Amino acid sequence: MSGCVKVTLVELARYREWTELLGSDREWRIQEEQSRIYSRAQEAASSRGGLAIPLRYDYLLLLTSGLSDDDVRAIVDSIKEESPVEVRYSTAASRSPAAAVSSAFAILRGNAGGQREDCSQEVSVLGHVDLDDVTGLTERTDPLEAFHRVQELLHYVSREARLYGGIAQYLGGDNILVVMPVDNYEALARRLSETDRVKVGVGVSATPRRAAELATKSLDWIRSHRGAAYVKVMDDLRAPVTASSGEGKAVNT
């Protein structure tokens, strides 16, 4: 596939210094503030076709493929309205999201080596990873045991995604979002599905919000066609392609 992934890295400058001014009884307030900032970022980004990922919370990652510079500025302005500290940001693009983040961080730090790559098309490739029957596991054990199992899965997904230049983010419940590279995303999806009882829905589109929608639709397809496939790709940037199905096989539409 041609094209690249565009991201915007948002930094809450001197955030640690701000937290230290709150006194010892501060953690509840920090969590409250982080939630508000993330909520504002997600609302502003999704309304323009993007998505927000909290990362460390003092750094937020905006998925901004297909969004204009004006869109990005408007999202950052919304974050500024909520943030108790100065907000800085930079945008970069690459064929993998990890490389794009590295470039954006270099730009933030004044490194001229961090540049947005030229690309023919901005695309978004997102994977929705789901652990099968977590509800059943919870009922058989307890919520904490199920949470530990999901955390083990997150560690595995994060490690494997990193090898491909991808980024994994926990969404809550038994769901994990993977920001995938333009190249070899199907190989990454198949690799993730090789672990026990894991389904991977992939969405490919011009904008992150649409790609996430397609990833969820792909996951719903896997659930409704139980046993037909553990990976499905929905791509609205190319003509439909049908591949052989079965365990560990990808089905594309």
Side-chain angles (χ1 to χ4, degrees), residues 39-52:
S39 178
R40 177 68 71 92
Q42 193 67 274
E43 180 181 16
S46 62
S47 69
R48 292 167 176 81
L51 288 176

Side-chain angles (χ1 to χ4, degrees), residues 17-166:
E17 289 81 354
W18 171 77
T19 65
E20 291 173 349
L21 295 174
L22 301 177
S24 299
D25 182 25
R26 65 190 181 209
E27 194 56 44
W28 64 271
R29 184 175 173 186
I30 293 171
Q31 296 301 314
E32 193 175 55
E33 190 66 46
Q34 288 177 169
S35 297
R36 281 198 295 262
I37 293 171
Y38 173 56
S39 178
R40 177 68 71 92
Q42 193 67 274
E43 180 181 16
S46 62
S47 69
R48 292 167 176 81
L51 288 176
I53 294 176
L55 288 186
R56 298 186 352 170
Y57 285 95
D58 55 343
Y59 286 91
L60 291 90
L61 182 63
L62 306 177
L63 307 182
T64 51
S65 291
L67 277 64
S68 69
D69 290 343
D70 286 343
D71 287 330
V72 173
R73 279 192 293 270
I75 297 167
V76 174
D77 284 345
S78 292
I79 297 171
K80 288 179 178 179
E81 292 174 0
E82 193 65 57
S83 174
V85 298
E86 178 188 0
V87 175
R88 302 169 182 166
Y89 74 101
S90 63
T91 298
S94 184
R95 295 189 67 78
S96 80
V101 170
S102 293
S103 292
F105 185 66
I107 295 169
L108 273 177
R109 291 295 176 262
N111 184 343
Q115 300 292 335
R116 184 189 303 189
E117 293 182 15
D118 292 330
C119 60
S120 58
Q121 183 182 28
E122 293 175 6
V123 300
S124 185
V125 186
L126 298 179
H128 192 158
V129 179
D130 175 81
L131 180 62
D132 195 30
D133 195 29
V134 166
T135 300
L137 175 61
T138 302
E139 294 301 321
R140 291 191 301 273
T141 57
D142 58 53
L144 184 59
E145 181 62 30
F147 177 74
H148 288 325
R149 177 66 183 92
V150 173
Q151 290 299 301
E152 290 171 358
L153 175 62
L154 176 61
H155 176 73
Y156 168 78
V157 171
S158 182
R159 183 188 66 212
E160 295 299 323
R162 185 178 182 184
L163 296 175
Y164 287 79

